[in-house]
Amino acid sequence: MGPVLAGVLQLLALIAALALACIPLGNYMAKVYSSDKHWRVEKWVYKGIGANPDTEMTWSAYLRGVLAFSAVGVLFLYLLMRLQGVLPGSLGFSSVDPAQSFNTAVSFVTNTNWQSYYGEQTMGHVVQTAGLAVQNFVSAAVGMAVAVALVRGFARSRTGALGNFWSDLVRGTLRILVPAAAIAAIVLVACGVIQNFSGIHEVGQFMGGSQQWNGGAVASQEAIKEVGTNGGGYFNANSAHPFENPTPFTNLFEIFLILVIPFSLTRTFGVMVGSVRQGYAILATMFTIWLSFVALMMWTEFAHHGPAFQAAGGAYEGKEVRFGVGASSIFAVSTTLTSTGAVDSFHSSFTGLGGGITMLGMMLGEIAPGGVGSGLYGMLIMAVIAVFIAGLMVGRTPEYLGKKIGTREIKLAACYLLITPALVLVFTAVSMALPTPPHSMLNSGAHGFSEVLYAFTSASNNNGSAFAGLNANTDWFNTMTGLAMLLGRFLPMVFVLALAGSLAEQKPVPVTAGTLRTEKPLFTGLLVGAIVVITGLTYFPALALGPLAEGLAS
Amino acid sequence: MTTRTEKQEDSMSTATTPTRAPHSDVPTGHKEDRVGAGLFDPRQLVKSLPDAFRKLDPRVMIKSPVMFVVLVGSVLTTVFSFKDPGDWFGWTISAWLWLTVVFANLAEAVAEGRGKAQADTLRKAKTDTVARRLVGDTEERVPGTELRVGDLVVCEAGDVIPGDGDVVEGVASVDESAITGESAPVIRESGGDRSAVTGGTKVLSDRIVIKITTKPGETFIDRMINLVEGAARQKTPNEIALNILLASLTIVFLLACATLPPFADYAGTQLTMVVLIALLVCLIPTTIGALLSAIGIAGMDRLVQRNVLAMSGRAVEAAGDVSTLLLDKTGTITLGNRQAAEFVPVGDTTEADVADAAQLSSLADETPEGRSIVVLAKEKYGLRERHQDELFGAEWIEFTAQTRMSGVDVDGRKIRKGATASVISWVEEQGGTVAEDADEIADRISEAGGTPLLVAVDDEQGARVLGVIHLKDVVKDGMRERFEELRRMGIRTVMITGDNPLTAKAIAEEAGVDDFLAEATPEDKMALIKREQAGGKLVAMTGDGTNDAPALAQADVGVAMNTGTSAAKEAGNMVDLDSNPTKLIEIVEIGKQLLITRGALTTFSIANDVAKYFAIIPALFAAVYPGLNKLDIMGLASPDSAILSAVIFNALIIIALVPLSLKGVRYRPVSADRMLRRNLTIYGLGGLIAPFIGIKLIDLLISLIPGIG
């Protein structure tokens, strides 16, 4: 079997698995967020944090919950790392320095999982398990909660209430992420991923010399790393490391885990707004973009010219031979189109255009299918923008899901639209303009520029993957990517929740023959077009000077 | 006419003269350009040039954020060109950027210019008038501008009415051509629904006393002048929302351009400010930004051309969103006059006998119903219309509202035609009997929504009923098709009538409306509007009576008839000077067309950018990264010519689209899906492709200039 065929077959198997999982999981999640019963363990949690899970919150109360919870998370994680040296169970690692602690704390709370450190050489068991792993769960649950609040904004009428943040957070964690991660971890362990608390082993190498191997609770962290679209690896090599991702099957399974919740949330959305077809339209939009990106990526990686590539059967540099070019391409696209950022191959070693595809994937705003929760709300914002322009073209005040897209709604959506491009471009430009930061680049020319552009694209979009080569562990990059992550995560949430509040207050507009049908393929096409054109126009000059200059050179 | 209860009893029309002849603008099937405006005259561009330059004032420009950015860009490139006077490229770019701004202003100026002519004619009507104010029993002459609300003024034949008000005494014929353009005089009388008079119109006969209801400066004619000139124009909600979106896109592109110099520096090339500004202007949505206000003004103008005055742009936009239309039966759906449809014989008489008797007895009936009987007899039974003087010795009995009968006594025969009750009592008076089936037939006609008239004769065989004339409310031609179209557009029509439910149902079915409200009182109508609105629907209606005022105010689009009371005109947000209720449908279409034009040009504007990148990016960077030349799919002559071509295209496309923005995108009543598909293909796909061709052509021309290519 040729490598191309193998890649395509893996892709088909993945699509089939996702198709099977989407509806039941989506329905289940809709039930979780709509149920009025509390589990006993949840009641303990509510008692513990002193929250009343039954009070309905306005958008501002909901936002205060999100921000307060996240602020506490950042602070706790920061202190944990700063105090690692004096805490037990730290494998003898010292405390992490302030800039890196800030960066890492923000990174995990924002569901970015950008890592400017080497996991196995910096973080002990306590930080990994009590700090990072916990945030892997709750940061994902926060994203889902915000998405659900926006969905309620569409579904509800004449009310300011968007649900209860604490209840959404706890349920998302306990009823969705924990069970899913548990099942995933068991599968991963069964397939050879390690799960222990053993320390560091000195191992002799075949060629002489010795190597240090860490043990750790890897399978459990790996599971939530993918399910929660986090992406922060236990080891620096991330999912390319054989302890994290030993076989082609685990590789495919991990891609499945990355995609399953973001895709299924479209079903949840459809069920909650009372029209599963609306959910399918959003799903179709996400899927179209994702599949086109996979196809493009496979095409550039397999078909790349040059004698070395042709001898190897594709662009093999930086990719694991056990996965191959096809599976690595699927992984790279899936991890950059979600806000995951886990990698099983080095994006900087992809062909010039391939690297560009990973960047463009993030630049779309992580919406196809995007991070858990954040993908859905990002896509819905784009839908609002597309509906506005298209709605005018059918001669009515634009409306989406029975809600009018008026001045206030478009103001909030436009603000959302502005944030990430502003962060990416301004941070990159400042970094390029200052004398010192460019020293972090490993390469010169267009590739070097791509390293910096990739870093801020990844941070601002809360992806977390890195274009290897850039030394990001400097005060400048630790601080600036940290700020990019913070602003890139929470500013959009402010506008999403405000929009949700504004939508929930409206009375619904009945559907007539004059209404723009947002569940039809035509709208899906329009939405895909709008996303690609708007993103393309924003980033075209920057991309031209990085990956395009490199990719078109040969 | 809105809530006037139609009299169910079989009275024939009362003797009031209609204020205006019934309108003959019954829709006739599909007309391609139904809501298009007049032709665009290129000379208007030249005429509006001075205004376009006047609008360069930054305080005016700031209202359009996109064009303001272009203005700032033009100033900056000019300044840089002065610093480097030998740089022909900088000067050319500056010139074209200035042209871009001027073109945008020109679009707005042309749109406004079309209203100005109308405003001038209105101003002429508003010449300073002298009012004859009544103080107690004495008259005093004061300037019209000094009148206060509540003042009483006298107007006699030849006087110009000094201000808006209601007639409180007398009746007069008034020439309202100054506002309506209609030369036939109208009757204004105290009390009732025809009491409102408008300042600036002229009394032609008789004497009336008017109570002033509006302050000078705020009169109808003043507001009209402001409206058609666009002075009172405020941005509508959708326009504001669109402006926000455009502003945010402008910021995105501003960021993309502002962050480019450090990237370029690193790549090893220096970008000049002129080039950066050129890139920015090409990317920001200048096409829609330049035409946005012209589209809005032209939309209002299209209404004005149809003699509809919208008191706010908001109402025009709301018209596009309307999902329920409340239409009065009389005058809107039906012709308003009942007409003879059939002659039904009674007993052993033949239809021809009935027709003959009906015709003879109706010759002396000048009401529309009477005329329609004569017409039917002629058309259906070939009975030539006889003239009254043809029949010697005939004694004509004219129709009156008291007798409710008309007829003729000739050759010993007495023929009568009229309301059932009147004719029956006449037959009985003459000693005749009424056949039973006459009653039955009359009842059947009533139930079917018609009005029965009896025809009776008294001759040698005695007095008896010959037959029944079936008078029918005639549904206007083409209404069914019109409602069909509305349904396709997602608009539900509800017929409002004072008729009983049975009659209403029959007419509703014939006209093809979706629903009807029978025996409607103003309260019922109000309740219906509120019910629809509670379901999230926007409601449009017409009205003219004082009792319509609350409903007109409640409706999202309330179109008051100009013949109506001032209360109705005050309550509605539009006034139809032609007082033609059918126009509501056109108003809806104009509202939709306004939104479609905005959406289409926005899509076009954004889609245009793709090609501009393909022109400019290789031009900027191919020198350092030769691979980027592969993006130059247009094969442009030189980097300078590529950038210049993009800038020139960007400016010229504005002028090219001025006619479209004034005329509006073609609108046809089809479903939202089909409309979207069509507009996306033309303005989305077209917008993607057009600039590739346009830029290439301009580049070809430029490359012919020596020293550039």
Side-chain angles (χ1 to χ4, degrees), chain B residues 48 56 87 106 146 153 187 259 284 294 359 411 421 438-439 484 510 543 613 627 655 674 686:
Chain B
S48 307
L56 285 175
D87 177 25
L106 198 54
E146 277 182 19
V153 293
I187 303 292
T259 54
I284 58 177
Q359 190 221 37
D411 302 338
D439 253 354
E484 195 81 24
E510 196 186 335
Y613 264 138
I655 284 294
R674 287 186 50 192

Side-chain angles (χ1 to χ4, degrees), chain A residues 158 389 392-397 407 410 425 432 445 507 510 512-516 520 526 537-538 541 549 552 554, chain B residues 237-238 241 252 259 266 320-321 488-490 533-535 537 592 595-596 603 613 625 630 672-673 675-676 679-680:
Chain A
R158 299 185 179 90
I389 297 171
L392 286 177
M393 272 196 290
V394 302
R396 276 169 76 105
T397 293
T407 311
I410 212 70
L425 292 171
M432 296 307 291
K507 57 184 180 192
T512 68
T515 311
L516 173 72
K520 296 265 180 84
L526 172 83
L537 292 178
T538 310
L552 294 174
S554 52
Chain B
N238 276 318
V252 167
T259 54
Y266 169 78
D321 290 347
R488 255 180 281 146
M489 288 153 60
Q533 286 174 335
K537 290 178 178 157
K592 284 193 178 294
L595 296 181
I596 293 172
T603 312
Y613 264 138
Y625 294 125
K630 288 178 190 158
D673 254 10
M675 196 140 44
L676 180 63
N679 289 331
L680 262 186

Side-chain angles (χ1 to χ4, degrees), chain B residues 264-313:
Chain B
D265 277 354
Y266 169 78
T269 179
Q270 290 279 331
L271 297 180
T272 63
M273 272 307 274
V274 172
V275 163
L276 269 181
I277 291 168
L279 175 63
L280 175 66
V281 171
C282 284
L283 293 182
I284 58 177
T286 45
T287 315
I288 179 67
L291 298 173
L292 192 55
S293 72
I295 295 171
I297 297 168
M300 296 287 268
D301 191 49
R302 276 199 290 283
L303 278 179
V304 172
Q305 285 175 19
R306 277 166 186 71
N307 268 347
V308 176
L309 286 186
M311 296 306 165
S312 73

Side-chain angles (χ1 to χ4, degrees), chain B residues 251-367:
Chain B
I251 297 173
V252 167
F253 292 127
L254 203 59
L255 283 170
C257 292
T259 54
L260 207 47
F263 302 170
D265 277 354
Y266 169 78
T269 179
Q270 290 279 331
L271 297 180
T272 63
M273 272 307 274
V274 172
V275 163
L276 269 181
I277 291 168
L279 175 63
L280 175 66
V281 171
C282 284
L283 293 182
I284 58 177
T286 45
T287 315
I288 179 67
L291 298 173
L292 192 55
S293 72
I295 295 171
I297 297 168
M300 296 287 268
D301 191 49
R302 276 199 290 283
L303 278 179
V304 172
Q305 285 175 19
R306 277 166 186 71
N307 268 347
V308 176
L309 286 186
M311 296 306 165
S312 73
R314 192 180 282 261
V316 186
E317 234 170 46
D321 290 347
V322 159
S323 42
T324 308
L325 278 189
L326 305 191
L327 296 174
D328 284 310
K329 186 195 81 176
T330 312
T332 311
I333 295 173
T334 63
L335 285 172
N337 301 313
R338 280 161 291 193
Q339 298 194 345
E342 191 186 4
F343 299 119
V344 189
V346 166
D348 51 3
T349 38
T350 65
E351 251 179 84
D353 290 339
V354 182
D356 182 61
Q359 190 221 37
L360 274 177
S361 58
S362 299
L363 290 176
D365 180 2
E366 282 303 318
T367 62

Side-chain angles (χ1 to χ4, degrees), chain A residues 6-20:
Chain A
V8 171
L9 287 179
Q10 291 191 42
L11 181 62
L12 292 178
L14 175 67
I15 293 171
L18 286 169
L20 283 177

